[in-house]
Amino acid sequence: MTATYANKSSLFTNDTPKSISTTKSTSKLHITGVEAAWDSYLSVLEANPLAVKSVTAGVILGAADLSGQAIQQLMKKSDGGIDIARFLRFAFFGLILQAPWNHFYYLFLDGVLPPTPDPFTLTTGIKVFIDQFIQAPIFTVIIFAFLGTLEGKSKDEIKKQLDDDYVDTMLANWKLWVPATVVNIAFCPPILRVLFLNVIFFFWSIFLSLKLNKKEE
């Protein structure tokens, strides 16, 4: 009995620490892998900022539309399959328009109003105002026109969609993007601003995907 108890005891005193040690090692490897991937991303971003921002936006906005399609199907309680053309439109929009627009827009904005060491300054407030009450209304019209054109809509159809949905879209935009823009301009390094915007744009693109395609329901 004593020998048996000793053997059982050894299972806890010897094997358990090894298991914990293995788990910790695996976690460290995972963290190290993530850090290495992040460092690699930053290196490529600094070397080719426009290309990397564009590809990243294309992937994120394409994924956002797929999420929007999944939500639509859940709402309709049906499985209509994936609309590949719609997915490609949003991915193309991110690649060709959204990322390049914001890349050059932030370069211009930071050139005119350079970032300040203190995050909460008059400069930050002015930049947020310009972003959300001058840039955003213009870019939203461009989004409607760009995606409508890709979808094959006529000018009259695009104008009607703007008449129907523009005001609601802008009100929703300000609820999300005013605080997000404050964080982006106040705290994000310039090189990461478009990446931060892309992450928030994932959720905004789901809204746009549902809004611009609501007649398909």
Side-chain angles (χ1 to χ4, degrees):
M1 289 293 291
T2 304
T4 302
Y5 179 80
N7 288 336
K8 288 182 177 180
S9 180
S10 68
L11 292 175
F12 294 93
T13 58
N14 295 329
D15 290 349
T16 302
K18 290 180 180 178
S19 177
I20 294 173
S21 177
T22 301
T23 302
K24 287 182 177 179
S25 298
T26 303
S27 298
K28 287 180 180 178
L29 286 173
H30 177 71
I31 293 171
T32 301
V34 171
E35 289 177 347
W38 177 246
D39 289 341
S40 297
Y41 178 83
L42 290 179
S43 297
V44 177
L45 179 62
E46 290 179 359
N48 302 284
L50 180 57
V52 173
K53 290 173 186 177
S54 296
V55 172
T56 303
V59 171
I60 290 176
L61 269 62
D65 178 70
L66 291 178
S67 300
Q69 292 191 44
I71 291 170
Q72 274 188 318
Q73 290 178 12
L74 286 173
M75 292 169 63
K76 292 189 295 182
K77 297 181 180 179
S78 65
D79 183 10
I82 297 173
D83 185 340
I84 298 297
R86 175 175 150 182
F87 157 73
L88 290 175
R89 285 196 297 271
F90 267 80
F92 186 69
F93 160 64
L95 178 71
I96 297 298
L97 179 61
Q98 193 267 344
W101 172 281
N102 285 290
H103 171 76
F104 291 110
Y105 162 70
Y106 278 120
L107 285 178
F108 171 77
L109 188 63
D110 287 337
V112 174
L113 296 168
T116 56
D118 184 354
F120 298 112
T121 63
L122 179 60
T123 297
T124 299
I126 293 172
K127 290 168 85 167
V128 171
F129 179 86
I130 292 171
D131 188 282
Q132 284 303 296
F133 298 99
I134 298 176
Q135 183 270 156
I138 295 171
F139 189 48
T140 300
V141 172
I142 294 172
I143 291 173
F144 273 74
F146 184 86
L147 291 173
T149 300
L150 289 181
E151 197 175 344
K153 291 179 179 177
S154 66
K155 290 182 180 179
D156 289 340
E157 288 174 323
I158 293 171
K159 183 179 181 301
K160 184 178 185 309
Q161 191 163 42
L162 282 166
D163 291 339
D164 293 342
D165 297 329
Y166 181 75
V167 173
D168 288 344
T169 300
M170 287 309 306
L171 291 175
N173 170 92
W174 288 322
K175 291 177 183 178
L176 173 66
W177 283 105
V178 168
T181 302
V182 170
V183 172
N184 198 9
I185 291 176
F187 297 106
C188 288
I191 190 67
L192 294 178
R193 281 189 182 152
V194 175
L195 176 61
F196 176 85
L197 184 146
N198 284 338
V199 172
I200 305 300
F201 220 99
F202 173 84
F203 301 99
W204 180 240
S205 291
I206 293 175
F207 170 82
L208 287 177
S209 178
L210 295 171
K211 189 78 172 175
L212 296 179
N213 295 279
K214 65 179 185 294
K215 290 188 173 69
E216 295 178 7
E217 296 180 5

